[in-house]
Amino acid sequence: MDIRIENLTKTYGTLNAVDHMNLTIKDGELVGLLGPSGCGKSTTLFMLSGLTTPTEGRIYFGDKDVTNISPEDREIGLVFQNYALYPHMTVEDNITFPLINRRVNKAQAREMALEMAKVVKIDQLMKRKPGELSGGQQQRVAIARALVKKPQVLLLDEPLSNLDAKLRVETREEIRRIQQEVKITTIFVTHDQEEAMSISDRIAVMKEGVLQQYEVPQTMYLNPANVFVSRFLGTPEINSIEVDVKDGEISANGLVLRKGVKLADGHYKAGIRPESFYLDENGVSLSVDSIRMTGRDLLIFSKLGSTPVRVLVHSYIQVAEGDKFGVSVREGHILIFDGQEKLIGRF
Ligand SMILES: Nc1ncnc2c1ncn2[C@@H]1O[C@H](COP(=O)(O)OP(=O)(O)O)[C@@H](O)[C@H]1O
Ligand SMILES: [Mg+2]
């Protein structure tokens, strides 16, 4: 089912927790709602679920305006960070609970629960209590319970935040697999940019209640709409550099990074990702201030004139503190922003 959000706004006192948001989600897509803590992600999700009433704006599920429809009648499945399972009930009773509540007969409810338990791969655990499950298993039970009513929309609010790093990665892959299998339109709230990029069809990045950009992950990573998005996506963080453009040359602190660009003379904010540099003895000469080995990559801390920069190279490259090395920037990987911090081009 398509979801359409029009001018959606939630005001608390003088704070616009969500500020005139417009978004269309295609049927069967998984959208990652991403942004720092407090930017309005949960508020958006709660308005979609019907648990929070919008101050302004409309929400459509398909052609139907659901803005004033109660949560029970919206055909949504909800999953939160803290599983919210009933601790005294078995896994099976937890999953059948929403069905029994809806007066589905017991035998049929059990059959539907088993079917969903198989999809999320917990059908061997039906007789256990939540306390006898790992965090990842509990979250699967929560997902099975959310899906058992065959909702039209699945809403997940930071569902992986209570899991340790390795389980987070495994469980996010599982969520993607389940979502693809059930083909359900899904909104997945997270503050973790890598999590969002890895499983989303599209990402919506928010800042202070305002939608910044809505794009497929790779396109957004390469073409961030503004400085905020460029810095929020990617680790290690993008290098923010002040540059001068004169006669088609982009330079930072007098060091020429690119020639022959079509850009008005002036002073600009630029962004260069650490991995956008490549070693080039004919390029700009830098020296190694310090090194951090991260496994696959080596992160070199250096300076472009007086501006600190991070340069990412393969870990098989041998360098030591104090060494000199030459770098250039990959074609199209110098991002140039205007005075309002909006992307104006890639050079
Ligand atoms: N019930 C509420 N009353 C007052 N302020 C709220 C309420 N719920 C959320 N807020 C505020 O709205 C902003 C957005 O909150 P939230 O949507 O929870 O952010 P996120 O989920 O992105 O961390 C925050 O500044 C938060 O303090
Ligand atoms: Mg939240």
Side-chain angles (χ1 to χ4, degrees), residues 191-207:
H191 62 270
D192 182 331
Q193 51 92 27
E194 194 209 321
E195 197 166 281
M197 282 198 283
S198 67
I199 64 167
S200 304
D201 293 302
R202 276 168 215 279
I203 300 176
V205 174
M206 294 179 74
K207 176 196 175 197

Side-chain angles (χ1 to χ4, degrees), residues 33-51:
L33 192 52
L34 176 68
S37 178
C39 73
K41 305 182 295 294
S42 293
T43 305
T44 304
L45 205 77
F46 286 1
M47 288 192 280
L48 284 163
S49 72
L51 295 168

Side-chain angles (χ1 to χ4, degrees), residues 6-7 61 75 130 136 142 154 201 205 209 218-219 255 279 296 305 316:
E6 281 182 7
N7 276 323
F61 286 179
E75 297 188 67
L154 179 62
D201 293 302
V205 174
Q218 191 176 18
T219 308
L255 301 166
L279 298 178
R296 183 193 51 196
Y316 57 70

